[in-house]
Amino acid sequence: MSVAKRQLPRLIRFSGRPSLSLQLTAIGLAITLIFLGIAILAPVFQAWGWIQNPTESLINPIHDPPSLKYLFGTTRQGYDVFSRTLYGTQAALQVVVLATAFGLIIGVPLGLVSGYLGGKLDRILLFFMDTIYTLPGLLLSVTLAFVVGRGILNAAIAISIAYIPQYYRVVRNHTVSVKTELFVEAAQAMGASTGRILTRYLFFNVVQSVPVLFTLNAADAILTLGGLGFLGLGLPEETPEWGHDLRLALEALPTGVWWTALFPGLGMTLMVVGLSLLGEGLNEFINPRLRKDSWSQTPP
């Protein structure tokens, strides 16, 4: 009597001999979780007295270099760079989550409806989304930021305008290919309503790539937010934000004050790298065909 082997999940089976892509995914996940923990625990650290209030200026020596007392040094305004860098993580995550969520909430339903119904509505939406998609994302965000003004919610709205067409195109193209499958035609023949077909039969079959796109857009949103902050269009001046701090640090760079620009820039870079690695890793797990194709094309 033979005992059948129980199949382990793919991620667990890979853990025995992790590939380079899996290792990079683990690194990206670890970096992302670290920044998430920093964003959550920053107010706790301040309440315990471990870090200063990042919005209080002129309470520290000006341009004091990194030391045991000021780990990342101080700025010309007397801010503690360490506390502002930690709190910059919180502001970045808030804007990024809102911006990508807005793009997902608007783009995915529009893609579903457009791809399934087709016709004139599909042509109008496709033309409109393609027009937005051809424009540079940063230019769109800067233009909209002038209109809506500063603030976490306003910055998220300004950034999300560039992501709506991406979700729309991915979901719409998948919907067009899936709506001709037999299970969809069977549901139509049984008299299922359009809403039921979209939510029950199509939705979970066309959103496989959405988590990957969400992660990669989050990495891009951090850079866009940094660009808006550098131009003075992102968050209010009293809010700790990496792009705004980099703008203030430019004045001190010629005098040899490097720490005011290094640590906010390093925080932004590490967070973008972590989310990018996580997104690429998710892409390989969700779309295993891409991994097999890349392996088969690799020369011996």
Side-chain angles (χ1 to χ4, degrees):
M1 182 175 173
S2 60
V3 179
K5 284 186 175 182
R6 180 176 296 178
Q7 293 292 330
L8 295 175
R10 189 194 318 164
L11 183 60
I12 299 177
R13 293 203 307 268
F14 284 170
S15 62
R17 46 180 185 85
S19 62
L20 178 61
S21 62
L22 186 60
Q23 294 175 7
L24 293 178
T25 304
I27 294 174
L29 179 61
I31 294 175
T32 304
L33 291 177
I34 289 173
F35 276 102
L36 181 62
I38 291 174
I40 296 174
L41 295 177
V44 178
F45 293 158
Q46 180 187 345
W48 289 349
W50 292 2
I51 61 175
Q52 296 184 10
N53 187 337
T55 61
E56 292 183 358
S57 60
L58 302 178
I59 61 173
N60 301 307
I62 296 175
H63 283 165
D64 201 43
S67 61
L68 292 178
K69 185 176 182 180
Y70 305 106
L71 296 179
F72 291 175
T74 62
T75 68
R76 184 173 64 88
Q77 294 79 19
Y79 290 119
D80 179 57
V81 179
F82 181 69
S83 63
R84 289 188 66 86
T85 302
L86 295 187
Y87 268 92
T89 304
Q90 188 179 69
L93 283 177
Q94 288 175 348
V95 174
V96 164
V97 170
L98 286 175
T100 49
F102 287 158
L104 186 149
I105 292 172
I106 298 175
V108 170
L110 287 179
L112 268 173
V113 173
S114 177
Y116 180 72
L117 297 181
K120 187 175 181 180
L121 175 64
D122 180 53
R123 291 194 295 270
I124 293 175
L125 286 175
L126 190 60
F127 174 78
F128 182 69
M129 293 297 177
D130 284 347
T131 302
I132 298 178
Y133 188 75
T134 56
L135 299 175
L138 181 59
L139 178 61
L140 283 173
S141 300
V142 169
T143 304
L144 194 56
F146 271 113
V147 178
V148 299
R150 293 182 173 184
I152 291 179
L153 182 60
N154 294 341
I157 294 173
I159 295 173
S160 66
I161 189 66
Y163 303 142
I164 295 175
Q166 299 181 27
Y167 291 104
Y168 168 84
R169 287 161 61 97
V170 169
V171 174
R172 185 256 178 196
N173 293 339
H174 282 140
T175 303
V176 170
S177 61
V178 173
K179 73 176 183 179
T180 58
E181 296 290 338
L182 290 177
F183 67 91
V184 178
E185 295 179 354
Q188 293 171 343
M190 294 176 63
S193 63
T194 300
R196 184 176 180 83
I197 293 175
L198 290 177
T199 56
R200 178 168 183 147
Y201 297 99
L202 285 177
F203 179 77
F204 291 104
N205 289 285
V206 301
V207 296
Q208 293 92 343
S209 299
V210 168
V212 178
L213 189 58
F214 185 92
T215 308
L216 296 177
N217 280 345
D220 181 77
I222 294 173
L223 295 177
T224 305
L225 177 64
L228 292 178
F230 191 82
L231 296 173
L233 298 172
L235 305 183
E237 293 186 359
E238 63 272 10
T239 303
E241 194 269 316
W242 291 330
H244 177 67
D245 288 352
L246 286 174
R247 179 191 179 193
L248 298 178
L250 282 181
E251 302 175 359
L253 276 178
T255 62
V257 179
W258 49 268
W259 54 88
T260 56
L262 173 65
F263 295 109
L266 188 60
M268 184 187 304
T269 302
L270 287 176
M271 196 170 184
V272 170
V273 169
L275 288 170
S276 299
L277 292 177
L278 181 59
E280 292 296 336
L282 286 176
N283 190 31
E284 290 203 3
F285 286 113
I286 294 175
N287 302 310
R289 291 181 180 177
L290 296 178
R291 182 175 64 250
K292 293 179 181 178
D293 292 342
S294 63
W295 285 356
S296 62
Q297 294 175 4
T298 303

